[in-house]
Amino acid sequence: MMDAERPLPEPEERDESLPDAAFLLECLEHGQERASAACERNERRLRNTPLRRVSRLTERLMSGIDYEQARLLRMNHFLFLHERLGHLNRLSVEADSLSAPCYYPFWTAFPELRNVLIDKRVLIPLLWPEVLEQSPAGSLERKLALHLLPLPVDQRCGPQDMERIARIVEAFYS
């Protein structure tokens, strides 16, 4: 059993980003939607790669991020969506307890809303896809995977993106 207080040892081997970073450039050049196949290939690669230290390229790129600004933008986007969509959300969200959300968790009774958002070019990942293969119909795990929509609050989004997402969801419910 691992001691929760003891930090994990840092891997000795450093990763190399360059051979597999083409998908990042493709995302920047053509957008996430068009680069989704390349992103998926990279995710598969990572699943089969042992733990390594962060690459020098990634280290350099990450040193240029203003993390506090990114946190504030994510929080503002989250609060905007919560203000607009909270009354439609079947999940009770305690926004005051958050600091840097990754997404706005929107629980819907209508899993087809995911496809509506995707058709409108809003990237909505399927969290826990393995649950759909492994969990029986009607299980809570399956309902979470299908009905919990992680609406983006990414710092790369702007106010117009948040407005567009809110309008799409509101239009679906009206």
Side-chain angles (χ1 to χ4, degrees):
M1 179 171 229
M2 185 164 264
D3 182 359
E5 297 297 316
R6 193 177 64 212
L8 291 173
E10 188 172 323
E12 291 180 26
E13 187 178 348
R14 186 179 286 272
D15 198 14
E16 287 190 28
S17 293
L18 194 56
D20 301 299
F23 81 95
L24 292 172
L25 298 174
E26 192 173 342
C27 284
L28 288 172
E29 189 73 23
H30 302 292
Q32 283 184 316
E33 184 179 351
R34 197 161 141 197
S36 64
C39 291
E40 179 56 36
R41 280 192 305 275
N42 189 63
E43 287 297 318
R44 282 194 304 275
R45 177 192 70 86
L46 289 174
R47 279 192 287 270
N48 298 317
T49 301
L51 188 62
R52 295 185 181 139
R53 291 178 58 203
V54 68
S55 73
R56 285 183 177 86
L57 174 61
T58 301
E59 201 170 67
R60 177 71 58 90
L61 291 171
M62 290 179 68
S63 71
I65 297 172
D66 182 342
Y67 288 98
E68 180 59 15
Q69 179 65 19
R71 185 190 75 75
L72 290 172
L73 283 169
R74 285 174 177 258
M75 198 65 216
N76 287 339
H77 295 335
F78 184 98
L79 292 172
F80 176 85
L81 290 180
H82 188 55
E83 183 177 313
R84 289 282 294 274
L85 304 176
H87 68 286
L88 299 171
N89 196 345
R90 297 180 75 189
L91 183 67
S92 176
V93 176
E94 295 292 329
D96 295 340
S97 67
L98 299 173
S99 174
C102 293
Y103 55 82
Y104 180 73
F106 188 80
W107 180 287
T108 180
F110 309 102
E112 59 271 18
L113 175 56
R114 175 187 310 278
N115 292 332
V116 169
L117 287 158
I118 290 170
D119 288 346
K120 302 276 188 186
R121 305 173 82 86
V122 177
L123 190 62
I124 304 292
L126 176 63
L127 302 178
W128 320 293
E130 66 280 358
V131 166
L132 299 180
E133 298 169 8
Q134 300 169 0
S135 295
S139 69
L140 176 59
E141 294 85 357
R142 191 173 187 85
K143 285 180 185 174
L144 275 171
L146 291 172
H147 294 261
L148 186 66
L149 306 182
L151 301 180
V153 295
D154 193 281
Q155 68 271 12
R156 295 170 293 180
C157 296
Q160 69 281 5
D161 298 312
M162 296 297 102
E163 178 65 34
R164 194 169 70 79
I165 292 167
R167 284 187 180 176
I168 293 167
V169 173
E170 289 167 339
F172 178 85
Y173 277 89
S174 55

